[in-house]
Amino acid sequence: MTTLRLLLAAGTALAAAAPLAAAAETPAPMTAEAATIRADSDMVRAHVEFLADDLLEGRQTGTRGYDLAALYVVSRFRAMGLEPGGDDGSWYQEVPFVRAKVGETSIAASRDGAAVALADSDIALRPSVAGEQVMIDAPVVLAGRGISEPLLGIDDYAGLDVAGKIVVVMPGAVPGGNGDVNAHLGGSKAQVAAAKGARGIIYLLAAPEGQGAGFINYMRNHEVVDVIGPDGRPSDQPGALDVEGYMTIEAASALFGMDLRETAMAAAMGEAITLPRAPEARMMIDHRSSHDSFTGTNVIGNLRGADPVLAGEHVMMTAHLDHIGVNEEGEDKVNNGALDNAAGIATMLEAARLFTTREVAPARSISFIALAAEEMGLLGAAYYAQNPIVPIDDIAAVVNLDMPVPLYDFTDVVAFGAPYNSVAEKVADAGAALGITVSPDPMPEQNIFVRSDHYEFAKMGVPAILLFTGYGNGGEEQWADFFATRYHKAGDDLSQALDWDALAKYAELNHRIALTIAEDATPPRWYEGTYFGDAFDPGGERAPTPPTLDSGLSSH
């Protein structure tokens, strides 16, 4: 699972996720054949042991270890009899990337013609994927929190002309808003600024006085990776910004000639504020970055549906194949990613195998996708969603398998996205026969819905969820220990006490989930009146909103 991007722009206001309502309709009974199909613990173990071996060196996208992992997935798809689902009849979708590292940068600032001194500890620009040299001489405008969302009646850009300018935005999103929505809005500030015609964006850091320098230095030296679209631009976004950066509150106060600390800190705490209108300043920027290109692959296998009408629709099971690679320091340098996400890939492969053992294929087609570069920012999923091989309108739903924790005999699962679309109702249907229930989000403060690959498909309007093993039967303690001691560390390896029977059960559950979706005459839908449905799929068909959903999730 990717670490949530720490822009300090998403805010801290959170809302508890609502419990899953009962399915709107009584599900069709599981067939006798489905009831006899069982996952194989030795199979899932074999997958994890290969993918999490030191020889694959943490499977970082763009490395030999990742390519070996991709080849392994292809070999499994081929052995099962799946059809290639990639480019030009291959198993692969090639994903082009650019990596930018910072070079020499000079920044001069002024207000009303008078120079404003900015020290290296005051401001940092991220390496630019837009070009190896970016030169800007432009006005700088304070744009509130940088949110513009008509569905929520919010427009911090109202009355502002930011075309060709650099915007400076405060932390936070919507005071008192839902955490997932705020995380989405906070992570979309650059796209909003670009849509408004800005050339750059600078985020204010909500750090106590004197404590922002460490983060500034980290971001200055942190490389940036992005995909390259068919038009040759990063992120396949025609309006991509030239620069993104970070600035301390003290420096911004000096730049605009007004004390912004109290307002910015209140904004970061999710409080309602009066957005100040500051005078325009100016920046002269000469920003250098060095670029190198590399290629990764999404690996895709398809199972053709049996129904002549519904076979054109696809249920997608996704899991990211990559992890974070090799440490420069430490005795154990390999981040093996046994749970994150070799276990998710193993689940997907075993679910695929179970489908191929059935006498009759399901009505809809199933696509199994091992995605690249999740750990670099959901980039493989973003590339597929923006350049789909199966047309977006033909994707019925996405079930994403990221970081199950098979360290205990789980009795429940969590479907992140359950308050927003009806995919989770299928999870409940499928789990009933296995005695597995669906629990509400136990970690709403983590905003998990926007932190894994399913989110990129959701942004294109596809109902999607991420499935985790739940907190029941000792799960809470296991999750807490994993996050505290092994998440994104070398300890996420095969030395953990993995419960292979639990992982096999998880694979069996996911096979049943995809089967339930594939066989149902009515595909999943976004719920009525929820923000993500209205934002991502305006005008689309809706499922009735379960009455237990929190009204705070509404876009109205």
Side-chain angles (χ1 to χ4, degrees):
M1 169 174 288
T2 189
T3 303
L4 185 61
R5 189 179 176 191
L6 298 177
L7 297 180
L8 301 181
T12 58
L14 303 170
L20 179 69
E25 299 176 0
T26 301
M30 190 68 64
T31 65
E33 181 189 12
T36 61
I37 292 177
R38 290 290 181 265
D40 188 329
S41 60
D42 287 334
M43 294 294 290
V44 293
R45 178 173 184 168
H47 299 321
V48 174
E49 288 183 338
F50 181 89
L51 294 170
D53 193 273
D54 280 356
L55 289 175
L56 273 68
E57 298 183 332
R59 306 187 310 279
Q60 186 174 53
T61 302
T63 67
R64 182 174 183 270
Y66 181 88
D67 292 343
L68 288 171
L71 184 61
Y72 177 81
V73 173
V74 167
S75 73
R76 297 301 86 211
F77 282 171
R78 190 188 302 277
M80 294 174 201
L82 299 181
E83 297 178 356
D87 297 326
D88 302 320
S90 74
W91 296 100
Y92 301 108
Q93 182 185 41
E94 299 287 334
V95 184
F97 296 94
V98 60
R99 178 186 288 109
K101 297 181 180 180
V102 74
E104 292 185 7
T105 295
S106 64
I107 304 173
S110 64
R111 187 186 69 256
D112 296 330
V116 176
L118 294 176
D120 285 347
S121 59
D122 290 331
I123 185 171
L125 301 182
R126 302 173 74 218
S128 176
V129 294
E132 293 190 278
Q133 181 176 19
V134 175
M135 301 185 70
I136 300 176
D137 182 352
V140 183
V141 179
L142 185 64
R145 288 186 173 95
I147 305 295
S148 181
E149 179 49 273
L151 289 172
L152 301 174
I154 297 172
D155 188 4
D156 294 339
Y157 286 87
L160 291 179
D161 175 14
V162 302
K165 302 176 182 180
I166 300 168
V167 298
V168 174
V169 299
M170 293 189 175
V174 181
N178 168 264
D180 286 338
V181 174
N182 273 353
H184 165 71
L185 294 173
S188 302
K189 292 184 180 185
Q191 290 89 339
V192 171
K196 298 291 184 180
R199 290 193 65 188
I201 188 169
I202 296 175
Y203 306 95
L204 287 191
L205 296 177
E209 187 169 358
Q211 294 186 20
F215 185 83
I216 290 284
N217 185 61
Y218 171 80
M219 293 310 303
R220 179 181 294 112
N221 295 291
H222 186 64
E223 68 180 32
V224 175
V225 177
D226 207 345
V227 297
I228 299 298
D231 63 354
R233 292 190 60 88
S235 297
D236 200 17
Q237 296 172 3
L241 297 172
D242 290 323
V243 293
E244 287 188 58
Y246 305 85
M247 179 184 286
T248 63
I249 299 173
E250 293 77 22
S253 296
L255 180 64
F256 291 113
M258 58 192 304
D259 188 355
L260 298 173
R261 168 160 290 280
E262 183 176 347
T263 304
M265 294 300 288
M269 295 301 295
E271 299 173 9
I273 61 172
T274 300
L275 297 175
R277 290 301 189 204
E280 281 193 353
R282 194 168 196 91
M283 280 188 183
M284 292 69 72
I285 297 172
D286 184 353
H287 186 37
R288 311 291 177 97
S289 304
S290 62
H291 286 186
D292 66 88
S293 300
F294 64 98
T295 300
T297 54
N298 294 328
V299 186
I300 309 167
N302 291 336
L303 178 69
R304 190 182 302 275
D307 187 280
V309 175
L310 294 179
E313 299 179 13
H314 286 242
V315 179
M316 289 194 165
M317 299 190 74
T318 61
H320 73 88
L321 184 58
D322 66 311
H323 195 54
I324 60 174
V326 177
N327 298 318
E328 294 182 2
E329 300 177 357
E331 183 176 346
D332 185 355
K333 293 182 168 54
V334 178
N335 296 291
N336 303 85
L339 303 189
D340 184 15
N341 186 40
I345 290 289
T347 299
M348 183 183 71
L349 290 174
E350 180 62 359
R353 187 188 69 82
L354 293 179
F355 271 108
T356 63
T357 65
R358 295 174 54 81
E359 293 182 4
V360 179
R364 288 185 177 85
S365 297
I366 313 287
S367 290
F368 305 93
I369 310 181
L371 290 160
E374 191 269 356
E375 300 290 4
M376 295 175 173
L378 318 184
L379 295 181
Y383 189 84
Y384 187 102
Q386 294 164 8
N387 306 278
I389 296 173
V390 172
I392 287 293
D393 289 345
D394 292 336
I395 303 175
V398 171
V399 178
N400 186 34
L401 310 172
D402 186 357
M403 207 169 74
V405 174
L407 302 174
Y408 60 105
D409 184 15
F410 70 95
T411 56
D412 67 319
V413 290
V414 178
F416 297 98
Y420 316 126
N421 64 69
S422 63
V423 178
E425 295 177 7
K426 310 304 182 186
V427 178
D429 296 346
L434 298 175
I436 298 170
T437 59
V438 181
S439 297
D441 182 356
M443 50 184 99
E445 73 284 354
Q446 295 287 338
N447 307 318
I448 299 293
F449 180 69
V450 305
R451 289 178 54 186
S452 191
D453 288 324
H454 63 287
Y455 172 57
E456 295 297 332
F457 291 90
K459 288 195 295 185
M460 302 301 291
V462 180
I465 62 163
L466 166 65
L467 205 66
F468 269 14
T469 48
Y471 270 21
N473 199 34
E476 183 173 5
E477 294 79 8
Q478 293 288 355
W479 274 102
D481 183 59
F482 176 74
F483 272 131
T485 63
R486 302 186 301 284
Y487 172 62
H488 279 194
K489 296 181 175 70
D492 181 12
D493 60 14
L494 295 169
S495 69
Q496 300 170 98
L498 287 103
D499 184 334
W500 302 114
D501 290 335
L503 189 57
K505 181 170 70 171
Y506 188 69
E508 188 173 324
L509 170 65
N510 281 281
H511 163 249
R512 290 172 181 242
I513 292 167
L515 176 63
T516 302
I517 298 170
E519 295 280 53
D520 197 327
T522 303
R525 297 282 186 253
W526 295 97
Y527 288 133
E528 293 174 348
T530 54
Y531 170 79
F532 289 114
D534 291 347
F536 298 156
D537 187 26
E541 294 183 29
R542 296 286 185 264
T545 306
T548 56
L549 283 185
D550 188 336
S551 61
L553 300 177
S554 174
S555 64
H556 306 300

